[in-house]
Amino acid sequence: MRLRSARRGNICEIWGREFRLVRCPDCGEYFATEEQLEKADTCGGAGVPDLCPRCRKRDEAGRIKPV
């Protein structure tokens, strides 16, 4: 079964509800809902950057020191 969703700008509609999407501060791509980020923060995800997966990987790779 496939879920139906619709996107209009920074609003994603799914399950008959509208969710506001958050932009990545680095690249500007919409990547998560406000609720997802709040949940991650309250579930021990403190310090989880509000970056999209692509920018988060780039950021983490930049922290690795060459051997």
Side-chain angles (χ1 to χ4, degrees):
M1 180 176 173
R2 184 180 159 116
L3 293 174
R4 293 179 186 231
S5 66
R7 266 177 91 165
R8 295 180 320 276
N10 70 327
I11 303 294
C12 178
E13 186 178 334
I14 190 168
W15 302 309
R17 291 186 56 201
E18 289 186 347
F19 298 92
R20 185 175 309 276
L21 298 171
V22 177
R23 280 187 189 266
C24 173
D26 282 5
C27 70
E29 178 181 337
Y30 292 116
F31 73 99
T33 67
E34 292 173 341
E35 291 86 354
Q36 285 175 308
L37 295 179
E38 288 171 11
K39 183 71 172 175
D41 194 39
T42 61
C43 291
V48 174
D50 294 342
L51 299 175
C52 71
R54 182 178 12 181
C55 290
R56 190 176 314 129
K57 286 178 186 176
R58 185 200 66 229
D59 186 56
E60 290 171 359
R63 295 180 202 197
I64 298 173
K65 296 186 183 209
V67 181

